[in-house]
Amino acid sequence: MIKAILIFNNHGKPRLSKFYEHYSEDTEQQIIRETFHLVSKRDENVCNFLEGGMLIGGSDNKLIYRHYATLYFVFCVDSSESELGILDLIQVFVETLDKCFENVCELDLIFHVDKVHNILAEMVMGGMVLETNMNEIITQVDAQNKMEKSEAGIAGAPARAVSAVKNMNLPEMPRNINIGDISIKVPNLPSFK
Amino acid sequence: MALKIVKGSIDRMFDKNLQDLVRGIRNHKEDEAKYISTCIDEIKQELKQDNIAVKANAVCKLTYVRSLTFSCNTLFCCTRIGYLAASQCFHESTDVIMLTTNQIRKDLSSPNQYDTGVALTGLSCFVTPDLARDLANDIMTLMSHTKPYIRKKAVLIMYKVFLKYPESLRPAFPRLKEKLEDPDPGVQSAAVNVICELARRNPKNYLSLAPLFFKLMTSSTNNWVLIKIIKLFGALTPLEPRLGKKLIEPLTNLIHSSDSELIVPLSCIAVLISLSSGMPNHSASHVVCVIVKYLGLLAMSKILKTHPKSVQSHKDLILQCLDDKDESIRLRALDLLYGMVSKKNLMEIVKKLMLHVDKAEGTTYRDELLTKIIDICSQSNYQYITNFEWYISILVELTRLEGTRHGHLIASQMLDVAIRVKAIRAFAVAQMATLLDNAHLLTGNTQRNGICEVLYAAAWICGEFSEHLENPLQTLEAMLRPKVATLPGHIQAVYVQNAAKLFATVLRSQEGNTDSTTAQETSQLMIDRLPLFVQSANLEVQERASCILQLVKYIQKLQQKDVEVAEEVSALFAGELNPVAPKAQKKVPVPEGLDLDAWINEPPSESESEDEKPKAIFTKEEPKHSRPRHTEVDEKELARRREARKQEQANNPFYIKASPSSQKVYQETPGVEHIPVVQIDLSVPLKVPGLPMSDQYVKLEEERRQKERAEKKKKEKKKRKEKRSGRGKKHDSGPESEEDITPAHMVDIVTEEMPEVGRSGMNFTEKSSKHKKKKQKKEKEEKEKKKKKKHHHHHHHSDGGGEESVQNGTVEEEEPLPVSLCACVCDIQGNLQDGSQVVVSVIFENKCNSFLKSMEFNVLDSLNSKLQRPEGAGPHDGLTVPFQLPPGVSNEARFVFTVQSIVMPQKLKGTLTFIVKNEDSSTHEKLDFKLHFTCTSYLITTPCYSDAFAKLLESGDLKGSSVRLEGVNMPFHHLLARICFHHHFSVVERIDSCASMYSRSIQGHHVCLLVKTADQTVSIDAKCDEPSLLGNVLDEIKQTFSQC
């Protein structure tokens, strides 16, 4: 079982957190902080597995993480999951994000958290891996997005336009845009279909 | 600003919370949409406020509204957002969940597969036992949905449902199994996932699925499924060994099959590990290397447990891993090393590790290394160490580590090795001496950590094995340096003690040396340095130092007189300390004659158990006694009763002032000096007041009874049987065994003055008001008692003699109905102190199965006799019996009566009311009884001597009377005993078939009898100062014999 999926940036700012077991909000915050602390001090060229971490990482649990540009993708799993399998799953997840957002960057995750959640929901359901085939995931996500768009139709268009204009005015937006850095390099890990 | 906050919080009170919102929506069935839109406006307002709590509330409501809106407009986007929000913020204790069941059910059956999909996804995050129970069926149906997309989600969520609602597993399992062979790989994978998770919890139940999985493994191309299946087989193989053999082939095929991408890592682990450590930081392949390295090490540690040799060949690779940057990998490698060492490679491995210790940065990893080194070396009792000198030097090297926290560990290793390996001691001592000499290095960081613990071991080893020291003086000097005082107290204490040992060694080495300056200088050194320790704040250091200081001063004096002291000083520390294995004690044989189970001292007082014994014996002996009351008395009850009796005795002048008052009484009677007071060993009865016997007592009684029985004639027996036939019904105890029993002291009575016991009767008739039937009950004995000292004795008599008192008791048996309560007067005793008081002891026994409580004892007072009631109580009030009776239990209560005149027998009518409490009901019941005070009961057995008796008769104050008894067929001494026993007389003198007897009433009346017998005729001439009393007593005597 996957206990939690966390995405945070190099500074420990959470970008997505999905817990498949219930924790109080305080505990969740603590888990994210602790995980960041553990993961961030590790070297780039070390392995991707971590045992320990007091809160979520009981004796049975492991942290499996990957670091892409500004983002850490951390999966906390128990011993029933294969380390390599999860590593591959992270890869599939990131590649899927990359396809859905076309060159995904941290900002995409900030402004489209719901979409990220939707994609994740097609991959992992209630802590169990639902689908590992990237094409299948993208098909399903696209189909759902299309449906949404068709529903909103013309009525939704002005609202989207307005929100686009609003987004333009977000004061912090320019600061964060750094195209060179945020594009995620996807190493050529042999992937599962 | 403050105002704003206040306003905000006031507003909040009127804000809708989530419950209000839900309620509101439900109340607006017709215009739901309108209501919701107003709510959303409110929420917007709330969101704009500063108050965080308001905002949170608003978000919460918004979430719900969102999750609800999809029901209004069936838009997928809303559904999706709603479920996303719900999955993020709902959890089991969220109360809104209860409201969602129907909504979810509606969505699950939606024609749109994505509606169903998001509903399932959302549900998987917040499923509760209730939801699982309610929706299990819907989900089961979805498992055979036409769309694979739905099928796989439904299959996957079943695991969550099983977790929350385990009953659903059984019906759902066949379908789940079916899904393993679903045409869609996604559904297959989901089913495998679920079964793997289930099997992890309880692998045994899934063994039957092994063939199916086997087929899947060979046919599936989905790597994810393969990984899961292999994991599952990993859990199953320990349970079914045959499975392992079967698996080998397909697994190796899998590894070698070209289409499996796992082949790369699996077959190349060794190569990659060696490559990666040498390769510069090179692209993604390095990442793969590290991952594989980690996994490889992980796998190897598992292999190590079963096939250590195959791993040992990779020793070099693993050692290289110690150089890895990654701490995860280094720690894994360390774990592996522990299992890999052998005698051959130990030194090499440790050497490598020592190198790493030097290089390692970060104390955590270094400490880890240190403990690993010690673990590796000391494992299985130093099995792999061939050269302990090497090990000691390793330990000494380890002491150079700065900032380690394992000084204590090193110290204990040093001590262990030095003590257990004798051959190494010389070397160890030399090393330790060096350590001590360089102690300033160690003491530099005492404050920080435990490395100074090593000095503890060093000092002790140097002292204990000082004979191996090359230069003890130098070491001694090192140990007495002022800087030592900065060490922790327990180490200083060891320093001081061992300095003394060294001192002894130095003295001995100087023995025979003509020049005694060295010895004296050493003494001086000790005397100079020790005061430093005497001032120590640590008590132990101080104590040892001052003790040794005085010793050294004394030695110095002797030295100045040129006395050879070395021998004596060494004797202080003579004897070798040998190591003892933890289990050694077991091997020591128990010396002959030593019984480890025997008590060393007398076992603790058994008074308690003695108290119990009488009870046990009593129940056994019970049939022989007329008192049924003790049968079921438990220990508590005994204690309580004992207490009550003690209390009673304390309040009863008869008991307390017994001696002096009785003395008075005797003095009135002539020849008092000669009255033989029956000697009774009081110790036992006094210990257990109220209990009729102790062991000895019982035994004695037994003997006597036998004697008595032997003497009895058959005739007599017959008579008694007849007499008692009516009684048998009332007593549970067998009347046959009773019949032969005569009072314990019967034999004595015949030969000398003995207390007599008389009886009077009491009839109880219970009328059950409810059943209108008279329940029967009664038992009676009336008794007057005389001697305080003998009171226990008396009890005994009454016990034994109870049967014979039938004549005095009237048995009224109306119907042999089940008796719910048996009350039995065991004892009516006159109070010698107060001539007008009689104490009646009544035993209540509960013979029914119900609980009896609120018992009230009341007697209709006559002019002559009155029940003594507590002050303030009316003349007709009953006395509450101070206890309740559980089924089968009996207890005794005492009631005091005031009697005006004792010359006439009395009958008092009374009632006993009580409540019978059953499980479900309680009834009030009543028991009528008659209390029979005979004149005999006012008599008290008083011994009298013949001269006093003669005087009494001569005085002429007494009036005479006589009675003749016909057909009395019993030996004369039995006849006398009977009179003594039942009517409280004592024999004054007996000549052949003629005897004189005496008794006294509680009011001081003298009663004298002259009994003669001839041919079954007994004539009794009696004299008394109260003729009516005498008449009644004689009547009673006559009655006693008429019943024989």
Side-chain angles (χ1 to χ4, degrees), chain B residues 480-545:
Chain B
L480 293 173
R481 277 178 202 150
K483 222 171 179 187
V484 171
T486 60
L487 287 170
H490 65 285
I491 298 175
Q492 284 187 56
V494 171
Y495 263 67
V496 171
Q497 189 74 16
N498 287 285
K501 290 181 194 168
L502 284 175
F503 175 60
T505 316
V506 172
L507 285 190
R508 206 157 59 174
S509 67
Q510 295 301 320
E511 192 94 315
N513 199 335
T514 42
D515 179 16
S516 64
T517 40
T518 322
Q520 287 189 6
E521 273 170 16
T522 317
S523 304
Q524 194 52 49
L525 176 75
M526 294 285 280
I527 290 167
D528 289 345
R529 300 281 177 86
L530 279 175
L532 178 70
F533 297 102
V534 176
Q535 293 158 11
S536 168
N538 186 296
L539 268 185
E540 198 180 346
V541 178
Q542 200 184 86
E543 195 180 355
R544 290 188 191 196

Side-chain angles (χ1 to χ4, degrees), chain B residues 91-358:
Chain B
H91 54 87
E92 269 191 45
S93 48
T94 313
D95 38 9
V96 208
I97 285 191
M98 292 180 293
L99 307 167
T100 56
T101 315
N102 279 323
Q103 186 59 53
I104 294 170
R105 184 171 283 151
K106 210 196 276 175
D107 289 327
L108 287 182
S109 53
S110 156
N112 183 338
Q113 64 162 330
Y114 292 114
D115 275 343
T116 316
V118 288
L120 285 172
T121 309
L123 186 59
S124 74
C125 291
F126 55 80
V127 62
T128 64
D130 285 342
L131 279 180
R133 192 191 57 231
D134 296 340
L135 296 172
N137 247 335
D138 303 70
I139 298 170
M140 286 253 287
T141 330
L142 290 177
M143 277 168 79
S144 11
H145 199 271
T146 48
K147 297 257 170 51
Y149 179 76
I150 302 297
R151 283 211 301 273
K152 72 178 176 192
K153 286 200 168 191
V155 168
L156 215 50
I157 203 177
M158 277 318 277
Y159 176 64
K160 290 276 177 175
V161 174
F162 296 153
L163 281 189
K164 300 292 179 190
Y165 181 57
E167 289 97 293
S168 62
L169 179 56
R170 203 163 282 277
F173 193 71
R175 198 169 286 187
L176 189 63
K177 207 171 139 188
E178 199 174 282
K179 294 297 145 201
L180 281 176
E181 295 173 294
D182 196 279
D184 185 84
V187 181
Q188 224 177 43
S189 148
V192 170
N193 252 339
V194 171
I195 291 183
C196 283
E197 287 293 340
L198 289 172
R200 217 164 67 89
R201 284 163 191 265
N202 189 4
K204 227 175 180 173
N205 292 355
Y206 302 91
L207 264 180
S208 61
L209 291 178
L212 197 60
F213 278 115
F214 198 76
K215 207 173 96 195
L216 265 180
M217 187 169 72
T218 44
S219 62
S220 174
T221 51
N222 184 330
N223 279 328
W224 184 261
V225 171
L226 282 180
I227 289 171
K228 279 285 171 188
I229 292 178
I230 292 166
K231 279 248 167 196
L232 176 69
F233 276 128
L236 292 183
T237 36
L239 299 169
E240 178 56 76
R242 283 173 297 169
L243 203 58
K245 278 185 200 162
K246 272 198 157 188
L247 279 173
I248 292 171
E249 202 202 323
L251 279 180
T252 40
N253 280 347
L254 210 62
I255 291 169
H256 292 294
S257 66
S258 49
D259 65 332
S260 168
E261 290 168 52
L262 284 172
I263 182 168
V264 186
L266 284 180
S267 60
C268 301
I269 289 179
V271 185
L272 282 171
I273 288 176
S274 55
L275 281 177
S276 63
S277 53
M279 265 188 346
N281 191 0
H282 186 261
S283 78
S285 69
H286 184 81
V287 177
V288 177
C289 287
V290 185
I291 293 163
V292 171
K293 199 153 53 172
Y294 174 83
L295 294 173
L297 290 172
L298 202 63
M300 277 170 126
S301 67
K302 280 173 192 160
I303 298 170
L304 186 70
K305 281 173 201 153
T306 47
H307 305 288
K309 283 198 178 151
S310 58
V311 179
Q312 275 173 14
S313 58
H314 298 285
K315 185 191 68 189
D316 290 338
L317 287 175
I318 293 165
L319 281 176
Q320 278 177 26
C321 291
L322 288 177
D323 295 322
D324 204 285
K325 280 186 221 159
D326 188 351
E327 209 172 292
S328 294
I329 287 177
R330 287 194 306 238
L331 291 175
R332 282 264 157 246
L334 269 181
D335 273 351
L336 271 177
L337 279 179
Y338 177 80
M340 282 175 50
V341 288
S342 66
K343 281 187 183 178
K344 272 188 206 161
N345 63 16
L346 174 75
M347 285 166 83
E348 191 192 337
I349 289 176
V350 172
K351 193 178 149 199
K352 289 260 169 73
L353 288 178
M354 291 301 289
L355 282 176
H356 285 109
V357 170
D358 292 340

